[in-house]
Amino acid sequence: ITRMHFRWDWLCLGVLIISSVTAEIENEETLDADVEVEDFDKQSQEADVDRDKSSLEVVYQTPKPTGEVYFTETFDGVLAGWVLSKTKKEDTDDNIAKYDGKWEVEELKENTVPGDRGLVLKSVAKHHAISAMLTKAFIFDNKPLIVQYEVNFQEGIDCGGAYIKLLSSSDDLNLEYFFDKTPYTIMFGPDKCGEDYKLHFIFRHKNPKTGEYDEKHAKRPDIDLKKFYLDKKTHLYTLVLKPDDTFEMLIDQSVVSKGSLLEDMVPPVNPPKEIEDPNDKKPDGWDERPKIPDPDAVKPDDWDEDEPSKIEDPDAVKPEGWLDDEPQYVPDPNAKKPKDWDEEMDGDWEAPQIPNPKCETAPGCGHWVRPMKNNPKYKGKWKAPMIDNPNYQGIWSPRKILNPDYFEDLHPFKMTTVNAIGLELWSMTSDIYFDNFIICSEKEVADRWAADGWGLKKLVASANEPGMFSQLVTAAEDHPWLWVLYILTLALPVGLGVLFCWPAKKTDEDIDFKKPDISKPITKGELKPEREELEDDEIELEEEKENEGTAED
């Protein structure tokens, strides 16, 4: 039985170790939050390339929209329609105010799909601005708005953004003067500085009473976005706005945030119906004290406020062996005056002090002082006890009045028409890759577009992923303690095989216990004396019981 317990202990230990290794690997590959995954469009699967092929074997064809679109851009051909800004950023030093950051059209540095090119931000610590007119303006009426594009932080990202702006339609819109103050309707995309990883969705809402615009920010996603900024992979960013005033933000076709334009924006679209009266003032006699000192309380006669909180312990005794005449510190006998010591400039040289070695073996050195203890007579300064305030009126707050600026916009989806798209960015990291922009109203169109572009990039990146062994080695480089688990995991199958499969050596006790004595037959004559001995034993036991009963009586 002991041996079986020992084997089961080993088996349980093996399961635990294998589970730990598996969990660690899965943790490296999984987001730290639940992500709602949407079904990939069935039609997009027809364009999938065999996952076993490498990037060199992929046949790339420039994506073509399959339905109505308002804008598309693949950057595979001539960069037509895009306009570089020629203006300057306001409220910025002149030496960096100009939008002179460089853009190039290039293939990806890693996991390249031959023939697939994108727009790349090339400059560091410079302002970049580039924009293009939509094929046709999008009017927020009864169709959803879907904005989708790809981003790859090829060098990681230190501080910078990769968001886009959908510019508001106006008669005086001039793309050559596109800058940070150019009116936009929607801003969407990733942004990061320091350890703050963001995914922006901002829309500018027009106040129907004043005509002024206010920025409304979507609440932050509940998942950790760090992976998308640091893994140097191409990620697909999608914003979906629906006429029912709801929105979704997706990364790689997985929903990372969703909500209502009426309920999940900061500040809210609609102001409160009532506000605090700015002219209301708290009355002079308003009493907000819930408790007050008891005015009838009197300090007791025996209350001594002069007693100290600590006194010397009169029962303390100086420890035996205390060295009263020895100082706690003495000059270092091994110290020597530096050769460059100038007594006229530096004064008389004195050896540095060190702990007195004689005090190390003694309970203490120097003048002994009685330790302090709490004073049992100490009461402190007397204060009257607190009682409920009979005049308490509560915490004062201004009265509520109707908000003169109140309005109710029940359909904030009806935003300002957009007719251009722009990237106005600052970055401390170069080689930010953008590709495959699409603005449409049908999810099927966006999914098919993604399959023909981002889908191929994803397959190539997956094909170029290191094998399981390389992933284990990489994980162990980040977490060296995993080497111990790897060794134990490899050793366990061998150990368990030996424990369960190798024949155990039988001891003499096992043989004597399990093996009956059948080496010779028992004859009838030998059996009779054994039976008589058993009968004699039974008679002796009965006599002992009778004698015990007589003794008790």
Side-chain angles (χ1 to χ4, degrees):
I1 294 174
T2 302
R3 186 179 296 110
M4 288 300 297
H5 279 304
F6 179 71
R7 291 178 176 179
W8 279 112
D9 290 344
W10 271 99
L11 182 59
C12 293
L13 177 61
V15 172
L16 287 173
I17 293 176
I18 294 173
S19 300
S20 299
V21 175
T22 304
E24 176 65 25
I25 296 172
E26 291 179 351
N27 187 54
E28 295 289 334
E29 299 175 349
T30 306
L31 290 175
D32 296 330
D34 293 334
V35 177
E36 179 184 343
V37 180
E38 293 200 344
D39 293 334
F40 205 87
D41 182 59
K42 292 182 180 179
Q43 295 180 353
S44 67
Q45 297 176 359
E46 299 175 0
D48 287 351
V49 180
D50 185 1
R51 292 179 180 271
D52 294 332
K53 292 183 179 180
S54 68
S55 60
L56 296 177
E57 299 173 335
V58 169
V59 177
Y60 171 75
Q61 292 183 346
T62 298
K64 292 181 173 55
T66 56
E68 181 184 20
V69 295
Y70 301 89
F71 180 79
T72 60
E73 179 59 78
T74 63
F75 302 105
D76 291 338
V78 179
L79 189 62
W82 289 88
V83 179
L84 293 173
S85 177
K86 298 179 180 179
T87 188
K88 294 182 179 181
K89 187 179 178 72
E90 292 185 355
D91 304 322
T92 307
D93 293 340
D94 289 339
N95 57 336
I96 60 171
K98 191 174 181 180
Y99 286 95
D100 55 354
K102 302 299 182 183
W103 301 88
E104 297 290 346
V105 175
E106 301 174 345
E107 292 183 347
L108 283 169
K109 291 184 175 181
E110 298 179 4
N111 301 316
T112 303
V113 178
D116 186 5
R117 301 192 300 170
L119 181 67
V120 182
L121 180 150
K122 300 297 293 184
S123 305
V124 175
K126 286 184 177 294
H127 292 288
H128 302 70
I130 190 171
S131 56
M133 299 297 295
L134 303 188
T135 306
K136 61 178 178 178
F138 182 87
I139 300 173
F140 292 86
D141 189 7
N142 55 5
K143 291 184 179 181
L145 170 68
I146 300 176
V147 183
Q148 184 172 274
Y149 68 108
E150 302 167 14
V151 175
N152 188 318
F153 296 106
Q154 299 185 95
E155 301 296 334
I157 184 70
D158 180 24
C159 184
Y163 45 81
I164 63 172
K165 291 181 179 180
L166 300 185
L167 306 183
S168 302
S169 178
S170 65
D171 295 334
D172 59 351
L173 178 61
N174 186 340
L175 298 186
E176 289 187 349
Y177 294 94
F178 170 48
F179 71 132
D180 60 316
K181 300 295 176 59
T182 300
Y184 69 89
T185 299
I186 289 174
M187 187 174 112
F188 169 67
D191 188 17
K192 185 255 182 183
C193 202
E195 289 300 314
D196 190 11
Y197 300 86
K198 298 178 181 178
L199 179 60
H200 290 298
F201 164 43
I202 305 170
F203 77 92
R204 296 174 71 244
H205 178 261
K206 184 178 181 181
N207 187 315
K209 295 189 70 172
T210 65
E212 296 179 352
Y213 285 86
D214 295 315
E215 290 185 351
K216 309 297 180 181
H217 297 245
K219 296 178 181 178
R220 296 175 69 104
D222 293 331
I223 71 165
D224 184 5
L225 301 174
K226 184 174 182 179
K227 174 182 178 180
F228 301 110
Y229 295 78
L230 303 180
D231 61 4
K232 299 182 181 180
K233 294 181 180 179
T234 303
H235 294 289
L236 184 71
Y237 293 87
T238 308
L239 172 66
V240 180
L241 291 181
K242 300 178 182 178
D244 64 357
D245 301 298
T246 61
F247 70 89
E248 290 181 340
M249 289 188 281
L250 303 91
I251 302 179
D252 299 344
Q253 298 189 317
S254 297
V255 176
V256 297
S257 180
K258 63 181 181 179
S260 166
L261 297 177
L262 288 167
E263 300 174 359
D264 298 301
M265 307 302 292
V266 180
V269 169
N270 294 314
K273 291 183 179 181
E274 293 184 329
I275 61 172
E276 293 181 347
D277 185 355
N279 299 319
D280 192 14
K281 296 182 179 180
K282 182 172 68 173
D284 295 336
W286 191 276
D287 196 340
E288 294 182 334
R289 301 172 300 164
K291 298 279 187 179
I292 61 171
D294 185 356
D296 299 326
V298 179
K299 183 175 71 172
D301 294 335
D302 61 348
W303 192 285
D304 189 352
E305 295 182 347
D306 297 329
E307 283 286 346
S309 62
K310 297 282 187 179
I311 59 173
E312 288 186 353
D313 185 359
D315 300 325
V317 178
K318 182 170 65 174
E320 185 177 354
W322 189 279
L323 304 178
D324 297 85
D325 299 330
E326 288 291 339
Q328 293 184 357
Y329 293 91
V330 295
D332 185 357
N334 299 321
K336 296 181 180 180
K337 184 172 67 174
K339 295 180 179 180
D340 59 350
W341 187 272
D342 188 343
E343 292 190 353
E344 292 184 359
M345 297 290 296
D346 303 324
D348 294 336
W349 180 82
E350 294 181 356
Q353 299 285 306
I354 62 172
N356 190 341
K358 296 180 180 179
C359 299
E360 295 179 358
T361 57
C365 291
H367 177 64
W368 180 77
V369 178
R370 292 181 184 276
M372 305 296 284
K373 72 171 188 175
N374 292 330
N375 184 359
K377 298 180 180 180
Y378 173 74
K379 295 184 178 180
K381 186 174 181 60
W382 181 84
K383 295 180 181 179
M386 303 298 286
I387 62 172
D388 292 335
N389 183 1
N391 299 320
Y392 176 64
Q393 295 175 273
I395 303 300
W396 182 86
S397 60
R399 64 173 174 266
K400 296 287 187 177
I401 61 172
L402 293 177
N403 185 355
D405 298 323
Y406 174 73
F407 63 84
E408 188 175 29
D409 183 354
L410 297 179
H411 298 291
F413 172 78
K414 296 183 180 298
M415 304 176 191
T416 305
T417 299
V418 297
N419 66 346
I421 183 173
L423 293 95
E424 188 264 321
L425 305 169
W426 164 275
S427 179
M428 295 301 296
T429 309
S430 64
D431 293 321
I432 302 176
Y433 176 97
F434 300 86
D435 201 5
N436 293 330
F437 290 88
I438 185 170
I439 299 175
C440 61
S441 292
E442 299 176 70
K443 188 66 165 62
E444 294 77 10
V445 174
D447 285 344
R448 182 56 185 261
W449 179 267
D452 293 343
W454 172 76
L456 289 182
K457 292 185 178 73
K458 182 180 179 183
L459 292 178
V460 170
S462 297
N464 293 335
E465 283 284 338
M468 178 61 71
F469 179 77
S470 298
Q471 293 183 36
L472 291 174
V473 172
T474 301
E477 290 175 352
D478 295 334
H479 307 285
W481 55 269
L482 283 174
W483 287 114
V484 178
L485 293 181
Y486 295 163
I487 294 172
L488 291 176
T489 303
L490 293 174
L492 270 175
V494 178
L496 294 174
V498 172
L499 286 173
F500 283 93
C501 302
W502 195 268
K505 183 178 180 181
K506 296 182 179 180
T507 63
D508 294 338
E509 293 179 358
D510 294 336
I511 296 174
D512 293 341
F513 178 75
K514 296 179 180 179
K515 184 177 180 181
D517 188 6
I518 56 173
S519 59
K520 62 180 180 177
I522 300 175
T523 62
K524 185 176 181 180
E526 293 175 342
L527 184 60
K528 183 176 181 180
E530 292 180 1
R531 185 180 301 162
E532 292 177 353
E533 290 178 2
L534 291 174
E535 291 176 354
D536 292 340
D537 292 339
E538 291 176 358
I539 294 171
E540 290 179 1
L541 289 173
E542 290 178 359
E543 290 178 353
E544 290 178 0
K545 291 180 178 179
E546 291 177 357
N547 292 335
E548 291 176 358
T550 304
E552 293 176 356
D553 294 340

